[in-house]
């Protein structure tokens, strides 16, 4: 049997990821524009016939979207259900923007958490109740 090797080329240089620190919003009641731009916005859609809700994550809140530029972008988004990682997306600068969607079992899961990872400004987290 022949072994299969899969490779892919990333459009960005991993050296551009200079900050992997978790960032806390200093005043959650009054986030800054920069904090809003980096924070995930979680939208929970209606539950389907099988009991799964569509969970969508956009990076940026209150209409302030995070850029996707050659040297400043969201390189990854993780989605957790009750603390367990259930989905992740790796993003390329310029050609993709911070977005993730997954269907989550609304009968079993209580909370979802999205983590956005900006190559310059670190990791921002938002949590929402599923039901």
């Amino acid at each position: 049997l022949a072994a299969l090797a899969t490779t892919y080329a990333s459009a960005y240089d991993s050296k551009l990821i200079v900050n992997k620190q978790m960032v806390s919003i200093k005043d959650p009641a009054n986030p800054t524009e920069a904090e809003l731009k980096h924070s995930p916005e979680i939208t929970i859609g209606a539950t389907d016939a099988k009991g799964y809700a569509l969970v969508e994550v956009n990076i940026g809140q209150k209409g302030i979207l995070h850029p996707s530029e050659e040297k400043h972008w969201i390189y990854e988004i993780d989605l957790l259900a009750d603390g367990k990682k259930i989905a992740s997306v790796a993003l390329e600068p310029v050609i993709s923007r911070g977005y993730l969607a997954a269907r989550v079992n609304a009968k079993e899961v209580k909370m979802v958490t999205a983590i956005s990872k900006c190559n310059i400004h670190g990791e921002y987290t938002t949590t929402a109740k599923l039901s």
Side-chain angles (χ1 to χ4, degrees), residues 21 47 78 109 120 123:
Q21 299 292 320
T47 303
D78 292 332
V109 175
I120 295 173
E123 301 181 8

Side-chain angles (χ1 to χ4, degrees), residues 71-89:
K71 295 187 181 195
H72 182 204
W73 79 103
I74 298 298
Y75 68 90
E76 186 173 82
I77 304 169
D78 292 332
L79 182 65
L80 290 73
D82 293 334
K84 181 180 179 183
K85 185 174 173 180
I86 60 165
S88 183
V89 63

Side-chain angles (χ1 to χ4, degrees), residues 106-119:
K107 295 176 185 174
E108 299 292 325
V109 175
K110 306 263 187 273
M111 301 287 281
V112 290
T113 301
I115 304 168
S116 67
K117 300 176 182 182
C118 174
N119 71 308

Side-chain angles (χ1 to χ4, degrees), residues 21-32:
Q21 299 292 320
M22 188 63 75
V23 178
S24 296
I25 306 296
K26 290 181 177 46
D27 180 3
N30 297 300
T32 66

Side-chain angles (χ1 to χ4, degrees), residues 22-70:
M22 188 63 75
V23 178
S24 296
I25 306 296
K26 290 181 177 46
D27 180 3
N30 297 300
T32 66
E33 186 173 316
E35 290 169 335
L36 289 171
K37 177 173 37 176
H38 289 87
S39 296
E41 181 175 71
I42 301 171
T43 304
I44 300 170
T47 303
D48 66 17
K50 299 281 187 180
Y52 288 81
L54 178 63
V55 175
E56 294 180 278
V57 178
N58 274 293
I59 306 308
Q61 295 184 4
K62 297 187 179 182
I64 303 170
L65 297 177
H66 193 281
S68 183
E69 301 166 350
E70 187 177 331

